[in-house]
Amino acid sequence: MNENAPTTSTESVPVASPAEAHRKSAEYVGFRVDGSPVILNLTEHQRLSPEQSLDLVNHSPSGFEWGYNGSGPAQLACGLLLDYYDDKQFAREHYITFRNQVVSQLECNGPADCWHLTGAEIDATLETITDDVVAVADGGQPAPSLPANWRTITRPNRRIFQRTDVDHYIVFGVGDDEWLVVLCSQGDRAYPAPLASHTVPVDGDVEQAFRDLVAESNDLIEPPEETH
């Protein structure tokens, strides 16, 4: 008997499924053609289009961008997660953090003047994001007091509601004797810009303040008709 021959084991060895292995081998590349951004999924030999992600969140109808915190990079972050994981809820919950940590840092460089992002890099980033998330009571589903087009974004230190069809957010903070509830928009700015706000006593109706700001968000999108 050959003592150097490999031995067999009754224990099964975990092996990645073909689909998972294929996903991890994914590679995305971004560059510009005549100034316009182009993103390719090299594994699938396909160009990434904003259309699918725009059906999920509408931050930048004009298309993708990268290299800063803004609406174009938010759309790209959502598009990348949606294309890679094929999970709308997962993409919706994590694309803002993915934009802040990854897409905002992408830059075209090297002889090819482009950026590369692999599936393994996406997985590694999302593992840190999901590990740090503090779950909220509704688990990211539509908040009971808000319309279906508003969802909760999980944050370790604050509560944020995001409108899924427009770049609007509602955040709130507590002071010594009152709540500050703010409707804001990120746009292409480095920091969100306030659009409207309400202060509410700590024992007041904060939910009503949310509903009022939702109404103001609607008015900003579709101003009420003037009565004659």
Side-chain angles (χ1 to χ4, degrees):
M1 179 177 179
N2 185 355
E3 295 181 356
N4 295 323
T7 59
T8 59
S9 171
T10 57
E11 296 182 1
S12 61
V13 178
V15 178
S17 67
E20 183 180 357
H22 176 72
R23 193 186 75 185
K24 286 184 177 296
S25 68
E27 182 177 3
Y28 297 90
V29 60
F31 53 93
R32 297 185 185 278
V33 176
D34 295 330
S36 298
V38 175
I39 295 89
L40 301 179
N41 181 330
L42 295 181
T43 310
E44 301 292 339
H45 306 289
Q46 292 181 348
R47 179 171 178 173
L48 202 63
S49 168
E51 298 305 320
Q52 187 178 10
S53 63
L54 283 169
D55 290 338
L56 190 62
V57 294
N58 190 336
H59 285 288
S60 178
S62 60
F64 295 139
E65 265 300 345
W66 59 78
Y68 61 98
N69 285 330
S71 57
Q75 201 69 54
L76 176 56
C78 184
L80 286 169
L81 294 185
L82 191 58
D83 185 76
Y84 183 63
Y85 290 107
D86 193 24
D87 186 327
K88 292 182 178 180
Q89 182 63 26
F90 188 82
R92 191 199 305 272
E93 290 183 359
H94 299 294
Y95 76 94
I96 290 295
T97 305
F98 186 68
R99 177 199 66 180
N100 295 344
Q101 292 192 15
V102 176
V103 177
S104 64
Q105 307 303 312
L106 295 175
E107 58 181 13
C108 295
N109 51 36
D113 196 24
C114 63
W115 54 259
H116 286 83
L117 186 63
T118 67
E121 290 170 331
I122 295 174
D123 281 335
T125 301
L126 267 294
E127 285 174 5
T128 64
I129 291 175
T130 53
D131 285 347
D132 291 340
V133 162
V134 176
V136 294
D138 62 12
Q141 297 302 312
S145 60
L146 297 178
N149 62 331
W150 287 81
R151 291 185 179 272
T152 300
I153 302 176
T154 54
R155 289 290 186 273
N157 60 350
R158 70 181 64 182
R159 187 182 183 193
I160 301 177
F161 292 97
Q162 174 198 358
R163 183 166 174 164
T164 60
D165 55 340
V166 178
D167 181 27
H168 283 181
Y169 302 83
I170 294 177
V171 298
F172 77 87
V174 62
D176 293 335
D177 55 2
E178 65 183 12
W179 295 96
L180 175 62
V181 190
V182 183
L183 172 68
C184 55
S185 174
Q186 178 80 43
D188 289 324
R189 295 171 290 273
Y191 298 97
L195 303 175
S197 64
H198 292 285
T199 55
V200 185
V202 290
D203 57 351
D205 189 351
V206 177
E207 297 295 334
Q208 182 59 51
F210 277 132
R211 290 190 288 272
D212 290 343
L213 288 178
V214 167
E216 293 191 46
S217 172
N218 291 335
D219 290 344
L220 289 170
I221 304 305
E222 298 180 4
E225 296 182 1
E226 295 183 2
T227 57
H228 299 283

